[in-house]
């Protein structure tokens, strides 16, 4: 409750400045930082609740906050996907320094300080991208990390979206699928994983794993 009030009070002031929510939530020049705060608020609360749960379970943890894109690493000139990728990874790496002994490190998917706001620059599913970028940052810091695991509400890649089918019509579940095949599915409209998360994982040789949050503990 205390953490919620503190975060909400920070968010409340800039929201009061804008009379129309559309000015905040739509890509209007000058509102990117405030829109990022709105988008990131829920993630911030979820991360802090997870930290409380870990503490109650006796698990050492640290909530890593203040993760921001390293604009200096991006350099000047026209914004490109590659520059943005380098800036975000550098920002995550900087935030993770000194947390090796913290036990479970808890991060939100939102990264502040991107030139036009992360929701615009990275698009839908930016948390997928942040997860891969975190794996890359951990590798750069010397961590023996080779995979990113996503906990979602489905078992993994299927031949169709199970949520859009009748209860008696079950799609085929692919236990293993290559990143190349996953990229083809994403290009065809699959929203299971963000296409940039897939391409970055492919570039860095990272294995992606999908687990069903409703089946936690069964594997």
């Amino acid at each position: 409750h205390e953490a919620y009030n503190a975060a909400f009070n920070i968010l409340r002031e800039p929201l009061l400045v804008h009379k129309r929510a559309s000015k905040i939530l739509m890509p209007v020049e000058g509102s990117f930082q405030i829109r990022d705060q709105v988008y990131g608020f829920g993630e911030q609360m979820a991360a802090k609740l997870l930290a409380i749960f870990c503490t109650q379970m006796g698990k050492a943890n640290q909530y890593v906050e203040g993760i921001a894109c390293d604009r200096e690493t991006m350099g000047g000139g026209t914004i490109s996907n590659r520059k943005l990728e380098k800036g975000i990874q550098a920002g995550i790496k900087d935030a993770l320094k000194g947390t090796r002994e913290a036990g479970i490190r808890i991060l939100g998917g939102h990264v502040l300080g991107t030139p036009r706001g992360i929701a615009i620059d990275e698009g839908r599913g930016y948390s997928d991208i942040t997860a891969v970028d975190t794996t890359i940052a951990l590798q750069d810091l010397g961590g023996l990390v080779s995979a990113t695991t996503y906990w979602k509400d489905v078992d993994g890649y299927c031949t169709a979206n199970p949520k859009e089918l009748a209860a008696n019509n079950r799609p085929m579940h692919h236990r293993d699928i290559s990143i190349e095949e996953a990229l083809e599915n994403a290009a065809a409209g699959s929203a299971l994983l963000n296409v940039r998360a897939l391409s970055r994982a492919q570039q860095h040789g990272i294995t992606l794993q999908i687990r069903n949050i409703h089946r936690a503990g069964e594997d």
Side-chain angles (χ1 to χ4, degrees), residues 8-19 24 34 37:
F8 183 77
N9 285 335
I10 293 173
L11 181 63
R12 183 173 179 269
E13 293 305 316
L15 285 176
L16 289 175
V17 175
H18 293 262
K19 295 181 179 180
I24 299 169
I34 299 173
Q37 287 180 270

Side-chain angles (χ1 to χ4, degrees), residues 70-140:
D70 188 334
R71 300 286 284 271
E72 186 174 336
T73 299
M74 285 185 63
T78 305
I79 299 169
S80 67
N81 291 341
R82 179 56 183 153
K83 286 183 179 180
L84 186 67
E85 178 181 345
K86 288 174 63 178
I88 290 176
Q89 289 170 7
I92 295 172
K93 182 178 176 180
D94 185 61
L96 288 173
K97 287 178 180 177
T99 65
R100 183 182 292 273
E101 307 302 323
I104 299 171
R105 287 166 280 188
I106 302 170
L107 293 73
H110 212 78
V111 177
L112 297 172
T114 58
R116 293 178 295 262
I118 194 169
I120 298 301
D121 280 317
E122 296 288 35
R124 184 182 182 279
Y126 58 76
S127 292
D128 292 348
I129 304 171
T130 305
V132 174
D133 284 336
T134 301
T135 302
I136 296 168
L138 288 170
Q139 289 178 338
D140 288 344

Side-chain angles (χ1 to χ4, degrees), residues 178-185 202:
S178 69
I179 288 186
E180 289 77 11
E181 291 173 303
L183 281 166
E184 289 181 9
N185 287 343
Q202 181 186 46

Side-chain angles (χ1 to χ4, degrees), residues 13-71:
E13 293 305 316
L15 285 176
L16 289 175
V17 175
H18 293 262
K19 295 181 179 180
R20 293 179 57 196
S22 60
K23 187 175 181 182
I24 299 169
L25 300 177
M26 295 297 289
V28 178
E29 186 70 36
S31 69
F32 302 131
Q33 183 178 357
I34 299 173
R35 189 178 62 254
D36 267 359
Q37 287 180 270
V38 173
Y39 285 156
F41 181 78
E43 291 182 3
Q44 186 180 4
M45 291 301 100
K48 289 186 176 181
L49 285 171
L50 179 57
I52 292 171
F53 174 76
C54 288
T55 300
Q56 291 176 339
M57 296 296 290
K59 304 290 185 181
N61 69 88
Q62 179 178 338
Y63 170 52
V64 183
E65 56 186 333
I67 301 176
C69 178
D70 188 334
R71 300 286 284 271

